[in-house]
Amino acid sequence: MTDTRRRVKVYTLNEDRQWDDRGTGHVSSGYVERLKGMSLLVRAESDGSLLLESKINPNTAYQKQQDTLIVWSEAENYDLALSFQEKAGCDEIWEKICQVQGKDPSVDITQDLVDESEEERFDDMSSPGLELPSCELSRLEEIAELVASSLPSPLRREKLALALENEGYIKKLLELFHVCEDLENIEGLHHLYEIIKGIFLLNRTALFEVMFSEECIMDVIGCLEYDPALSQPRKHREFLTKTAKFKEVIPISDPELKQKIHQTYRVQYIQDMVLPTPSVFEENMLSTLHSFIFFNKVEIVGMLQEDEKFLTDLFAQLTDEATDEEKRQELVNFLKEFCAFSQTLQPQNRDAFFKTLSNMGILPALEVILGMDDTQVRSAATDIFSYLVEYNPSMVREFVMQEAQQNDDDILLINLIIEHMICDTDPELGGAVQLMGLLRTLVDPENMLATANKTEKTEFLGFFYKHCMHVLTAPLLANTTEDKPSKDDFQTAQLLALVLELLTFCVEHHTYHIKNYIINKDILRRVLVLMASKHAFLALCALRFKRKIIGLKDEFYNRYIMKSFLFEPVVKAFLNNGSRYNLMNSAIIEMFEFIRVEDIKSLTAHVIENYWKALEDVDYVQTFKGLKLRFEQQRERQDNPKLDRNHRYRRDARTLEDEEEMWFNTDEDDMEDGEAVVSPSDKTKNDDDIMDPISKFMERKKLKESEEKEVLLKTNLSGRQSPSFKLSLSSGTKTNLTSQSSTTNLPGSPGSPGSPGSPGSPGSVPKNTSQTAAITTKGGLVGLVDYPDDDEDDDEDEDKEDTLPLSKKAKFDS
């Protein structure tokens, strides 16, 4: 269908009282059998699908607004609108609607919005029309009372509106306003305020078009200055004429566009500042005013978008080095407001709007602006950039990847954004928080596209980690060169917390890109330096970063953590926290509990072998005892393959008595290196059931020991290549399982973590305890963890280590 007269957009009003565009099509009217009546039909111009099928109900109130709009309500809280491309098409459909309802097409509303009593309806129908008093100064009070009495009744409102339209009454009232002001007739001015406010509540487009015309709007605002509830009149006109200046940064040649901009600003001012808050009125009483502003904004954006000369001049001046700073600031503020206006557009129109800006070169222009020293200009440019990222992050990503081929890393748009985030001077880092959100949107794989030829995720993340990640991590690396943060003021801590938040997001979503970066740059060790910060929120951010890594259960990460002894800062922070029951305490315990529950064998062994002596007295939770139990079960299965097979194939569970009998009847000679045989079903037992027979068995073992084993707990917590809690072993030493204390140590009591003289405190030497450290060998070198260079060899070595009992590994060192 090519008839542009019937071309329409279909709108619905959403819960936020914003109009949603449902599509563009062509409207027709006809009898629909299913609906049993004449109906409005709109078919999409793209595929002919049915956008709207609405029966013209005889009792529905249809309104015609601004010559090209028809608005009505289908049901409660469901408003519809047809926006016509041409006035002629609107008039044709309006005649059809009026014909079905038996109304005169000259009216702008076909029905009353609220039902009235039969008595009211009879009285109103019997009267020929509403006769307005003559517009004289002496009768202003009478006119005000007439307007106030008409508002409760929809029929009377309709008649009042028609009378005001037909007699040109509004202009006569505004002439009286000038007389009252000249005579300083305050009483008359108060009456005029009530009259004009009542006319607003009539909610009629035809009246608004008169009131908002160039010749009337300032007088209407003047009437609304004299609120009887105020002791002194407001000065709205003074603000609009003297304070609020219209800055034409680029000359607008179209007088209609210029007039529309003035009108929209003033009407928006009336709605926001002059009229009382909407809650004072009946529901939807000013819906027509809201619609008037909305469609005006749509029209303004459309007219500016079509003016190619205007946009070309705008971007040319923005990027011209000869443009002075004041002028550039005005240009940027205009562009920001232009983008803000676009938020009222529907998706299809917004797509066209941003595509136009992209074609005009908005991203290169922003790059130039962000490189300037003026903070106000940069702030406005950041707001514009946020509109672009929220609208289409892929467009921004494509631009920054293309410019990387021509420019140095320092002047890339995305690096400028990161630098502004890092250098934010606001003590609360408001701008940095906004920029961090934009960066997260840009690096979020969830909104990246994948096509047959390329994957945006692979390309962009490869670019980001090569050209941008070093800029993001620069403040982190600069502040963590020592054992403690070199700067620990509040603003620096806030900034590092933002950086960590983004890095944590990357760990969760970027898989191998961030993994390679963390391991190659030793990022986790630097992050854990922040555990020593005096700011608890920053220390918790560092801990959360490590917890996210451990949560992936990735053995590459695990080997990196073990090789660099990266549990050391966490254990140190745990001990320094002492008996305080706070978020730090809970978060650290939760991390170890996760390792225990998920049975991450490599980390379990590493923690017990290196840090058990510092943690063994923590008994207000069973986490660390549970970890020790996991470790012992794992070691027993490695040293006794037969038990492991029995565990796999025997399904009947032994009773506790049978298990205890097995413990006591086990010959010492059957133990290898003094390790106890663990029952296959022990893994399913709770800690109390297991530890009791272990304790008894250990008491028997202690009686047979010829000499005490010495265990040295090192107190030096510095250095990467040696664990803080490394155990020294004499040759031929047998391992004893330490019996747990029979009394529960509460936080803060003697023997709790961090208490002076407790076994878990640095500097104390527990007795009668020893622990065999797992040792792997390669090329004659002895180390805690083998780290082959070649990935395939690494996998083979891991398989061999899994089959080699730990006790036999220990013998290589003897």
Side-chain angles (χ1 to χ4, degrees):
M1 189 181 297
T2 57
D3 187 3
T4 57
R5 288 183 307 166
R6 295 290 184 91
R7 190 168 184 263
V8 296
K9 279 186 176 295
V10 181
Y11 292 94
T12 59
L13 197 65
N14 62 28
E15 294 178 354
D16 298 325
R17 311 303 298 168
Q18 300 289 330
W19 288 103
D20 291 336
D21 189 347
R22 296 302 181 186
T24 303
H26 292 84
V27 64
S28 61
S29 61
Y31 186 83
V32 176
E33 181 66 32
R34 182 176 63 82
L35 299 177
K36 305 294 184 185
M38 292 293 291
S39 304
L40 296 177
L41 305 171
V42 179
R43 294 196 174 275
E45 64 180 359
S46 56
D47 56 8
S49 61
L50 198 62
L51 295 177
L52 176 69
E53 185 179 61
S54 174
K55 181 181 177 181
I56 303 174
N57 194 313
N59 299 320
T60 297
Y62 291 84
Q63 295 183 59
K64 187 169 75 165
Q65 302 176 7
Q66 301 182 21
D67 293 331
T68 56
L69 281 173
I70 297 177
V71 182
W72 73 98
S73 296
E74 286 273 304
E76 187 177 358
N77 297 326
Y78 185 66
D79 293 351
L80 287 160
L82 293 179
S83 177
F84 289 79
Q85 181 172 329
E86 296 185 12
K87 180 179 181 297
C90 183
D91 291 341
E92 288 178 11
I93 296 300
W94 184 249
E95 287 179 10
K96 295 285 185 182
I97 294 171
C98 292
Q99 183 180 346
V100 172
Q101 294 197 341
K103 301 290 181 179
D104 186 344
S106 63
V107 301
D108 284 338
I109 183 168
T110 62
Q111 296 290 334
D112 301 318
L113 300 178
V114 181
D115 291 334
E116 298 178 285
S117 66
E118 290 298 324
E119 185 178 352
E120 287 176 318
R121 188 177 297 275
F122 178 78
D123 290 343
D124 286 319
M125 289 176 66
S126 61
S127 60
L130 189 66
E131 186 175 343
L132 293 171
S134 59
C135 197
E136 299 174 1
L137 198 60
S138 60
R139 305 193 71 177
L140 280 177
E141 184 176 1
E142 184 183 347
I143 297 169
E145 290 176 355
L146 176 63
V147 171
S149 64
S150 299
L151 290 176
S153 166
L155 275 176
R156 291 197 187 102
R157 285 206 309 271
E158 173 70 19
K159 291 182 177 180
L160 174 61
L162 288 173
L164 290 169
E165 288 175 37
N166 296 336
E167 298 179 23
Y169 208 78
I170 292 176
K171 291 185 178 180
K172 296 177 184 178
L173 287 171
L174 296 178
E175 289 174 5
L176 280 182
F177 167 71
H178 286 290
V179 174
C180 287
E181 271 207 318
D182 291 341
L183 297 175
E184 296 184 357
N185 185 343
I186 300 301
E187 184 181 358
L189 291 170
H190 285 169
H191 289 317
L192 282 167
Y193 171 88
E194 298 292 350
I195 293 167
I196 295 298
K197 189 180 80 169
I199 293 174
F200 268 97
L201 297 181
L202 294 176
N203 211 23
R204 288 288 294 250
T205 305
L207 296 178
F208 286 159
E209 287 175 351
V210 175
M211 295 165 73
F212 299 154
S213 64
E214 186 72 23
E215 58 180 318
C216 295
I217 189 166
M218 294 306 289
D219 291 338
V220 169
I221 293 171
C223 292
L224 293 173
E225 290 179 352
Y226 293 92
D227 186 348
L230 301 174
S231 58
Q232 293 293 327
R234 300 288 188 186
K235 296 183 178 181
H236 298 303
R237 286 173 294 173
E238 182 179 329
F239 173 81
L240 290 172
T241 54
K242 295 181 181 179
T243 307
K245 296 292 185 182
F246 177 65
K247 293 184 178 179
E248 200 171 349
V249 291
I250 301 290
I252 298 175
S253 55
D254 187 347
E256 183 184 353
L257 172 59
K258 193 181 297 187
Q259 189 274 330
K260 186 74 69 176
I261 292 172
H262 283 298
Q263 183 189 60
T264 305
Y265 176 77
R266 291 165 179 170
V267 176
Q268 184 86 59
Y269 182 83
I270 291 173
Q271 183 189 48
D272 296 341
M273 304 300 298
V274 180
L275 291 174
T277 54
S279 58
V280 175
F281 305 125
E282 296 176 22
E283 188 177 1
N284 293 337
M285 195 65 102
L286 291 173
S287 60
T288 305
L289 181 62
H290 182 82
S291 299
F292 186 96
I293 295 169
F294 170 81
F295 288 110
N296 260 20
K297 288 182 177 180
V298 171
E299 212 171 326
I300 289 169
V301 173
M303 293 169 78
L304 284 173
Q305 196 175 323
E306 292 168 5
D307 191 341
E308 290 187 8
K309 183 180 183 305
F310 178 86
L311 291 178
T312 303
D313 290 347
L314 172 66
F315 285 103
Q317 291 190 35
L318 265 178
T319 54
D320 187 356
E321 293 181 1
T323 305
D324 62 75
E325 288 190 8
E326 185 178 352
K327 178 70 171 179
R328 197 187 309 276
Q329 184 174 342
E330 291 176 353
L331 291 166
V332 173
N333 287 335
F334 168 79
L335 188 56
K336 174 185 171 181
E337 193 169 351
F338 192 28
C339 290
F341 260 47
S342 74
Q343 300 307 294
T344 63
L345 300 176
Q346 297 309 310
Q348 297 93 324
N349 294 341
R350 198 155 60 240
D351 285 349
F353 171 78
F354 281 112
K355 194 171 290 183
T356 301
L357 292 187
S358 177
N359 293 338
M360 298 302 296
I362 188 169
L363 285 169
L366 284 178
E367 195 170 30
V368 172
I369 298 165
L370 286 169
M372 297 177 179
D373 296 331
D374 192 324
T375 53
Q376 290 185 335
V377 170
R378 289 207 311 260
S379 175
T382 299
D383 291 336
I384 298 168
F385 184 69
S386 69
Y387 287 126
L388 295 171
V389 172
E390 289 166 11
Y391 158 68
N392 191 347
S394 291
M395 177 181 76
V396 178
R397 285 191 285 259
E398 184 178 359
F399 170 78
V400 296
M401 284 191 289
Q402 287 176 354
E403 69 164 350
Q405 300 171 6
Q406 304 167 357
N407 299 332
D408 296 334
D409 288 358
D410 294 342
I411 59 174
L412 296 181
L413 175 60
I414 197 166
N415 284 346
L416 288 173
I417 295 296
I418 295 172
E419 287 171 11
H420 290 319
M421 183 184 88
I422 293 170
C423 300
D424 189 4
T425 55
D426 179 8
E428 297 298 324
L429 294 184
V433 171
Q434 180 189 13
L435 291 171
M436 195 277 293
L438 297 177
L439 287 172
R440 187 160 72 172
T441 301
L442 288 174
V443 300
D444 187 356
E446 295 297 322
N447 60 46
M448 295 183 184
L449 306 174
T451 63
N453 300 325
K454 64 176 183 178
T455 303
E456 186 181 17
K457 176 180 176 181
T458 303
E459 289 190 359
F460 181 75
L461 292 184
F463 156 82
F464 181 79
Y465 280 88
K466 180 179 179 181
H467 297 279
C468 308
M469 185 57 95
H470 67 280
V471 183
L472 178 65
T473 56
L476 169 68
L477 298 177
N479 209 39
T480 54
T481 54
E482 306 294 335
D483 293 339
K484 290 184 178 181
S486 53
K487 286 181 65 178
D488 205 17
D489 58 278
F490 180 72
Q491 190 164 357
T492 302
Q494 273 193 311
L495 174 62
L496 293 177
L498 284 177
V499 173
L500 282 180
E501 185 178 340
L502 191 56
L503 290 177
T504 304
F505 178 85
C506 294
V507 167
E508 186 175 4
H509 293 88
H510 290 176
T511 59
Y512 65 89
H513 289 94
I514 187 69
K515 185 196 306 180
N516 290 341
Y517 191 82
I518 288 173
I519 294 174
N520 291 335
K521 302 292 184 182
D522 201 12
I523 295 296
L524 179 56
R525 183 178 68 84
R526 305 295 284 271
V527 167
L528 291 176
V529 170
L530 302 177
M531 293 284 292
S533 170
K534 66 182 180 183
H535 300 285
F537 70 88
L538 181 58
L540 288 166
C541 282
L543 183 63
R544 183 163 59 246
F545 180 72
K546 179 171 183 176
R547 173 64 177 82
K548 187 66 71 175
I549 289 175
I550 290 175
L552 297 176
K553 297 189 286 187
D554 186 314
E555 279 304 310
F556 280 100
Y557 276 131
N558 293 346
R559 286 197 291 269
Y560 162 61
I561 289 171
M562 293 185 296
K563 180 182 180 182
S564 301
F565 298 101
L566 294 180
F567 276 101
E568 186 175 302
V570 177
V571 174
K572 182 178 180 180
F574 184 71
L575 297 177
N576 289 340
N577 191 61
S579 60
R580 284 173 292 179
Y581 179 57
N582 52 20
L583 190 55
M584 177 65 73
N585 174 277
S586 299
I588 292 175
I589 290 175
E590 187 278 334
M591 184 172 69
F592 285 111
E593 181 69 12
F594 176 82
I595 295 171
R596 184 191 71 81
V597 171
E598 296 296 324
D599 195 16
I600 306 177
K601 293 180 175 56
S602 58
L603 295 183
T604 299
H606 177 74
V607 170
I608 296 301
E609 288 167 359
N610 295 291
Y611 310 107
W612 169 243
K613 300 313 298 178
L615 302 170
E616 63 177 335
D617 288 315
V618 180
D619 52 9
Y620 53 87
V621 291
Q622 297 301 309
T623 296
F624 300 108
K625 291 180 182 177
L627 269 177
K628 179 72 179 294
L629 182 61
R630 287 277 195 198
F631 172 70
E632 294 296 344
Q633 291 172 340
Q634 175 185 336
R635 190 173 61 178
E636 290 301 328
R637 284 196 295 272
Q638 289 174 337
D639 290 348
N640 298 276
K642 292 182 180 180
L643 286 178
D644 193 39
R645 286 197 297 272
N646 290 339
H647 175 68
R648 293 176 185 172
Y649 298 113
R650 180 175 55 77
R651 297 301 179 204
D652 55 314
R654 295 187 180 189
T655 64
L656 181 59
E657 290 79 5
D658 292 336
E659 292 168 346
E660 288 180 344
E661 189 67 25
M662 180 195 72
W663 282 102
F664 294 128
N665 292 336
T666 302
D667 191 347
E668 182 182 331
D669 294 334
D670 295 334
M671 304 297 177
E672 182 174 346
D673 290 337
E675 293 176 353
V677 178
V678 179
S679 170
S681 60
D682 280 349
K683 189 175 180 180
T684 62
K685 296 284 184 183
N686 62 39
D687 296 343
D688 293 333
D689 291 341
I690 295 301
M691 294 313 298
D692 185 53
I694 293 176
S695 300
K696 293 177 181 178
F697 175 73
M698 288 303 104
E699 289 300 323
R700 292 178 60 205
K701 290 290 292 177
K702 286 178 184 179
L703 294 175
K704 296 179 182 180
E705 291 286 346
S706 59
E707 59 182 28
E708 281 190 351
K709 271 83 52 188
E710 178 179 348
V711 179
L712 177 61
L713 177 60
K714 292 190 176 180
T715 59
N716 180 16
L717 289 174
S718 62
R720 294 177 47 206
Q721 297 307 317
S722 62
S724 302
F725 307 98
K726 192 173 181 182
L727 306 175
S728 62
L729 302 171
S730 59
S731 62
T733 298
K734 296 182 180 180
T735 302
N736 279 342
L737 295 177
T738 306
S739 60
Q740 304 299 315
S741 173
S742 59
T743 59
T744 301
N745 293 326
L746 298 174
S749 64
S752 64
S755 300
S758 69
S761 302
S764 62
V765 182
K767 295 182 180 180
N768 300 330
T769 57
S770 65
Q771 182 66 46
T772 304
I775 300 175
T776 61
T777 64
K778 182 178 182 182
L781 296 176
V782 179
L784 196 70
V785 179
D786 188 16
Y787 236 81
D789 295 329
D790 185 76
D791 290 338
E792 295 180 1
D793 295 344
D794 184 42
D795 294 335
E796 293 174 6
D797 289 346
E798 282 182 14
D799 295 337
K800 292 177 182 178
E801 286 180 30
D802 289 341
T803 59
L804 185 63
L806 289 178
S807 57
K808 292 183 179 180
K809 295 178 190 176
K811 290 181 179 180
F812 285 116
D813 192 38
S814 60

